[in-house]
Amino acid sequence: MGEQKRKETTKKNFIFERQNYKWMFIGLGFIALGFILMAGGGSDDPNVFNPEIFNSQRIRVAPTLILIGFGIQIYAILKNFKK
């Protein structure tokens, strides 16, 4: 009798709500997209310089997406949706 009552009263308590996890995955998507946009631009031959590594996509857009993704992650962790 006591074991059954204990099982009823102890239910799984998650740290975050469903919406927190949704925002975490959105932030993770932004971070992954930023790293994907930052990748590449190298040269197969080390003696040949490829100026494509200095385009605006790798210098401005990709780091901005990564910072936005980290901001979304912070929002998802700190936001309390249990109102």
Side-chain angles (χ1 to χ4, degrees), residues 2 8 16 18 21 24 29 34 39 44 50 71:
E8 290 175 3
F16 299 118
R18 183 181 182 123
Y21 289 114
M24 282 185 190
D44 294 334
N50 188 357

Side-chain angles (χ1 to χ4, degrees), residues 12-71:
K12 294 182 181 180
N13 293 330
F14 291 105
I15 296 173
F16 299 118
E17 294 292 317
R18 183 181 182 123
Q19 290 179 337
N20 292 95
Y21 289 114
K22 179 183 77 168
W23 282 105
M24 282 185 190
F25 284 123
I26 290 171
L28 187 65
F30 270 88
I31 293 170
L33 181 63
F35 277 111
I36 289 170
L37 290 177
M38 201 181 301
S43 177
D44 294 334
D45 186 11
N47 295 323
V48 177
F49 177 72
N50 188 357
E52 194 60 28
I53 62 171
F54 295 118
N55 67 5
S56 64
Q57 173 184 322
R58 289 186 178 89
I59 298 294
R60 303 222 188 265
V61 177
T64 304
L65 284 176
I66 292 172
L67 290 176
I68 290 171
F70 282 134

